[in-house]
Structures are given as C-alpha cells and as structure tokens.
Amino acid sequence: MFEVRVEADFAAAHFLADYHGKCEAIHGHNYRVLAHLRGKNLDDGGMVFDFSIIKKILREVCGSLDHKNLNDFEVFKNNPSAERIAYYIFLELTKKLEEQEVKLLSGTEVFCVDVYETPTSRARYIKD
C-alpha cells in the first residue's frame, strides 16, 4: 500500500457551545490540515496521485473556512470541534474530487484527514 499526504492551513474562530471551560468563549486557531490518500497501484509515472491536484483541492476546501467563525456553519451544529472539522474536510475533499471528475487509480482513496488546532493537539477522521 502506498500513501501520499498533502498539507494546507487556515485561520478561523470558533467556540464550543456544549463545553464548559475556556473553549466555550470565542477564540481562534491557526489550523493545520493534512489529507492522506492511499492506493495499491502506481500510475505510469510511478505515483499514487498527483500532489498538485490534491493540494489545490484541499486548499479550496480550507479556503472556504479561512477567516470565518466556524459556528456560522450549520454542519458543525454550533460545536465546531477539531473532530467535526476533520470529518467535514474529509467529506468536502472527497466530494470535490468527484465533482471535478478527478480520476483516481483503482483502489486509491482519500482515507484520512488530520486537523491540528495547535502544534500538539490533533484530531483525525479515518474512513471506515
């Protein structure tokens, strides 16, 4: 199995409505996002997937969140935790790949998204 990973970032504000502590107040993060693709096969150029294509799409997804209050997004249900952000980015990345009719080699998939709120705190969504 081969794996490739690309990275993007965005800055956003949020608060956790159902959390009791300092994170229930609005605050911001400089989020770091890692998207992982994996596959069993390589294309004729010896790659699982072209870094530049997946990087462009990941940056589009992260760009839609950049300098926003994440609580304004219905999908986060007023609790935009790092876990929910990772899941959202996973879904959006997968959807945009399909919408843009990006051809993945057979057996290649987006399988994991990491979201770092800080350099030492990460949430991960992994495809079942």
Side-chain angles (χ1 to χ4, degrees):
M1 185 71 68
F2 298 96
E3 178 187 340
V4 295
R5 184 197 85 187
V6 294
E7 184 174 331
D9 55 46
F10 67 97
H14 77 143
F15 61 89
L16 301 175
D18 295 314
Y19 180 84
H20 302 292
K22 66 181 186 175
C23 292
E24 67 186 320
I26 193 163
H27 61 284
H29 294 284
N30 293 315
Y31 292 94
R32 181 174 164 227
V33 178
L34 308 177
H36 305 255
L37 283 82
R38 67 179 173 191
K40 292 182 179 181
N41 302 304
L42 301 178
D43 65 13
D44 292 338
M47 297 181 290
V48 172
F49 196 77
D50 186 331
F51 286 124
S52 64
I53 294 171
I54 193 69
K55 227 181 332 187
K56 177 184 176 288
I57 296 172
L58 180 61
R59 287 178 180 161
E60 286 174 16
V61 173
C62 289
S64 71
L65 303 172
D66 193 39
H67 284 80
K68 302 278 186 350
N69 179 346
L70 300 180
N71 292 75
D72 293 340
F73 288 74
E74 181 66 31
V75 68
F76 298 132
K77 300 177 183 171
N78 217 28
N79 284 296
S81 63
E83 292 86 347
R84 284 185 168 156
I85 296 166
Y87 182 58
Y88 171 81
I89 292 172
F90 174 87
L91 292 176
E92 288 297 302
L93 185 59
T94 302
K95 183 173 97 176
K96 285 190 177 290
L97 282 166
E98 291 171 3
E99 286 173 355
Q100 296 181 21
E101 297 180 357
V102 174
K103 295 204 180 218
L104 297 175
L105 290 173
S106 176
T108 299
E109 63 182 354
V110 178
F111 83 97
C112 175
V113 171
D114 297 321
V115 172
Y116 286 82
E117 281 192 345
T118 72
T120 60
S121 299
R122 178 207 75 185
R124 172 177 277 183
Y125 176 78
I126 301 172
K127 181 179 179 183
D128 290 346

